Amino acid sequence: ASYNITTPIRRGANYVKSVFSVCRFCFVLSLIAIVAAVALTFRYFPQEPTYNLCNDNLAWKSIVTGMTKFQASADFQLLLSIQNPNRFEISVDMGSGEFKHKGVYVGNFDIPPTKAPARSIIDVLVIAHFTPGVWNTLSLTKEYYDGSLAFDVYTKATCRTPILLNYSFSMDFTYLHLLVDDPLLDDRQLCACPTWDDQKNKTEELILF
């Protein structure tokens, strides 16, 4: 029988071609996976929630009045509106904030554990703690009646994303400059009741020491 030397060569060429096709397929598949992963990362990477303090000028008046009555400290209930811009639920496990006036600490508040559904704005009641001594030293009552009272609010929180295997992250929110008597309501865009007709925007005095 005659031996055809081209047969092994042809088989070898077909094998190389098959290996090349598999490698090319794997490369294309890997490229698609990388592009998809990058796209999903940009689409679903957790974004920082935003918030507003929704108590109006009349509500702050009750705080100002309360601060003139007590000598140690006073706690008040404030309404916080939190916006979740993400496409998935965010859980706020813990959070806190500080009120400062021209760099001087005035008071603080704690954010209770809460959940914000995807692309939603939720309302959360927080307890604010103010110290009358500092308040009076800074003459904040006078500024309130002058219409110039403003605070810088610094907030931080630990958040969790259940859909991402409970991925947890801490963040310092962009500081909020709060003008108490703001006729334009520029710092209250997230509040559900911008005209202040709803009772939930009214401050309640809670615990007095």
Side-chain angles (χ1 to χ4, degrees), residues 46-77:
Q47 300 179 52
E48 177 181 305
T50 55
Y51 73 99
N52 287 165
L53 277 167
C54 295
N55 296 69
D56 66 349
N57 186 39
L58 293 177
W60 279 100
K61 184 177 181 179
S62 68
I63 294 180
V64 173
T65 302
M67 297 304 287
T68 62
K69 296 179 180 178
F70 305 102
Q71 301 300 319
S73 64
D75 294 357
F76 297 90
Q77 194 175 65

Side-chain angles (χ1 to χ4, degrees), residues 161-179:
T161 54
I163 196 175
L164 300 179
L165 302 177
N166 282 323
Y167 170 72
S168 180
F169 58 97
S170 299
M171 64 173 59
D172 292 326
F173 291 84
T174 302
Y175 96 96
L176 176 68
H177 183 72
L178 177 66
L179 179 61

Side-chain angles (χ1 to χ4, degrees), residues 88-114:
F88 45 81
E89 179 184 277
I90 290 286
S91 295
V92 180
D93 291 334
M94 64 179 66
S96 62
E98 292 184 348
F99 292 96
K100 290 188 176 182
H101 180 74
K102 298 180 180 179
V104 179
Y105 172 86
V106 176
N108 62 66
F109 61 90
D110 297 313
I111 303 175
T114 187

Side-chain angles (χ1 to χ4, degrees), residues 64-209:
V64 173
T65 302
M67 297 304 287
T68 62
K69 296 179 180 178
F70 305 102
Q71 301 300 319
S73 64
D75 294 357
F76 297 90
Q77 194 175 65
L78 301 178
L79 182 69
L80 197 70
S81 285
I82 302 176
Q83 181 184 46
N84 175 16
N86 296 285
R87 292 179 170 84
F88 45 81
E89 179 184 277
I90 290 286
S91 295
V92 180
D93 291 334
M94 64 179 66
S96 62
E98 292 184 348
F99 292 96
K100 290 188 176 182
H101 180 74
K102 298 180 180 179
V104 179
Y105 172 86
V106 176
N108 62 66
F109 61 90
D110 297 313
I111 303 175
T114 187
K115 294 181 179 180
R119 298 192 170 226
S120 68
I121 299 175
I122 62 170
D123 293 328
V124 180
L125 290 173
V126 302
I127 307 301
H129 318 281
F130 293 99
T131 303
V134 176
W135 185 284
N136 295 329
T137 300
L138 297 176
S139 302
L140 300 187
T141 299
K142 180 179 182 301
E143 289 193 17
Y144 170 80
Y145 286 108
D146 289 342
S148 60
L149 180 58
F151 296 104
D152 291 327
V153 187
Y154 298 87
T155 308
K156 58 184 178 180
T158 299
C159 301
R160 182 169 44 84
T161 54
I163 196 175
L164 300 179
L165 302 177
N166 282 323
Y167 170 72
S168 180
F169 58 97
S170 299
M171 64 173 59
D172 292 326
F173 291 84
T174 302
Y175 96 96
L176 176 68
H177 183 72
L178 177 66
L179 179 61
V180 171
D181 186 15
D182 180 11
L184 300 179
L185 307 178
D186 286 336
D187 52 8
R188 300 181 177 98
Q189 303 96 331
L190 303 179
C191 302
C193 306
T195 57
W196 317 118
D197 293 330
D198 196 300
Q199 183 61 31
K200 71 180 180 178
N201 282 341
K202 306 307 177 185
T203 299
E204 294 182 10
E205 190 177 305
L206 291 183
I207 308 169
L208 303 175
F209 298 98

